[in-house]
Amino acid sequence: MPPGIQDRYARHEKLDFIGAEGQRRIGASTVLVVGCGSLGCAQAALLARAGVGRLLLADRDVVRPANLPTQLLYNEADVKERAPKAEAAASRLRAANSEIAVEPLAGEVSAANIEALAARADLVMDATDNFETRFLLNDAAVKAGKPWIYGGVLGTDGMVMAVGPGKGPCLRCLLEMPAPENRLPPPDVFGVLNAAAAWVAALQAAQALKALARGAADWGRMHTLDIRNGSVTAAEVPRDPACPCCGRHEFKFLKPA
Ligand SMILES: [Zn+2]
């Protein structure tokens, strides 16, 4: 540990849902962050600084000019170098916290590798921008019995739900298939307010830290955020006993087409 920062996590340890023991568990944890865009940057920054012991950062893209307003880990030099996002993010996070391990995975997350990645993680963060990948994460996480934190942002709105296999509903209890009507327009169409993405990511990170420290996230509680008027509402999502994923254990998204 670098000199002078022995009390690094003191303010988190003061929190009743973390404490010294929770902080130790956070430090012993591995978290997979799927996507290093606006949500992934903010999530990874919060989790790295909170002392998550190992972060696996997956993204296949390079940094572009339109990323700079919303993706808080990147800078103009990254744009110039067309730096892979996972690698640029890892380098910033290592500079913020040299006590943790950060592993960049510059490539696509798909049915071919998601199970191996989920097996290495204690928890998975959704920082994707599409439902196809979320259904893949949902299948892999439920199959492996690992929690994952759903999060989405569009314009100034967002949604967050912690999925705990065996503790509450999964994404497919809520939504059948990534049908065309569930297909979100890309951020280029409706835009994303940077503050909205940071807010969604912060709520996801808080759920993740609660889960890692005490196993006590708000499982199955869908939070709906609108930063334009500062509102947050929450509703319990019921578990569907006939859910093909968490009910019948049919993991069809894990099978490559
Ligand atoms: Zn389910």
Side-chain angles (χ1 to χ4, degrees):
M1 181 182 291
I5 56 171
Q6 283 83 351
D7 60 349
R8 173 169 207 144
Y9 302 112
R11 292 180 184 179
H12 272 193
E13 288 176 1
K14 292 266 188 244
L15 300 170
D16 60 357
F17 69 92
I18 296 185
E21 177 56 20
Q23 186 61 45
R24 192 197 60 72
R25 290 194 193 124
I26 288 168
S29 301
T30 296
V31 172
L32 168 64
V33 179
V34 182
C36 298
S38 58
L39 294 178
C41 279
Q43 292 166 11
L46 293 168
L47 296 177
R49 287 169 187 273
V52 169
R54 179 174 291 268
L55 285 172
L56 312 176
L57 306 177
D59 198 290
R60 65 179 176 182
D61 285 335
V62 298
V63 182
R64 297 173 204 281
N67 300 146
L68 293 179
T70 54
Q71 304 184 15
L72 305 179
L73 291 175
Y74 309 129
N75 59 37
E76 293 175 1
D78 297 323
V79 174
K80 213 168 175 179
E81 293 161 19
R82 295 179 60 79
K85 287 184 181 178
E87 285 169 18
S91 120
R92 305 293 132 66
L93 297 172
R94 289 187 195 114
N97 191 345
S98 62
E99 297 172 10
I100 64 167
V102 186
E103 213 176 299
L105 308 156
E108 188 153 13
V109 170
S110 69
N113 62 7
I114 184 64
E115 287 189 82
L117 290 171
R120 296 184 58 201
D122 299 294
L123 180 142
V124 180
M125 298 297 279
D126 169 24
T128 68
D129 60 1
N130 66 85
F131 271 97
E132 284 79 2
T133 313
R134 291 190 180 107
F135 279 88
L136 187 67
L137 296 187
N138 190 63
D139 266 9
V142 170
K143 187 176 176 190
K146 306 283 175 75
W148 73 282
I149 315 293
Y150 161 68
V153 63
L154 190 66
T156 59
D157 299 334
M159 296 181 105
V160 173
M161 184 174 85
V163 176
K167 296 174 177 159
C170 79
L171 186 65
R172 287 193 78 192
C173 292
L174 180 67
L175 289 174
E176 197 30 58
M177 269 306 283
E181 59 269 27
N182 294 331
R183 203 156 278 161
L184 292 174
D188 313 356
V189 178
F190 277 97
V192 172
L193 184 70
N194 59 5
W199 197 19
V200 166
L203 184 47
Q204 287 181 277
Q207 293 292 318
L209 292 174
K210 283 170 73 169
L212 295 172
R214 305 277 163 162
D218 301 324
W219 309 117
R221 198 162 166 75
M222 180 65 81
H223 299 84
T224 303
L225 295 75
D226 175 5
I227 205 166
R228 192 187 293 250
N229 57 27
S231 69
V232 185
T233 54
E236 302 299 329
V237 173
R239 176 148 188 264
D240 175 6
C243 170
C245 179
C246 70
R248 301 204 300 267
H249 293 96
E250 295 164 8
F251 304 113
K252 70 175 183 182
F253 296 97
L254 296 179
K255 299 183 181 85

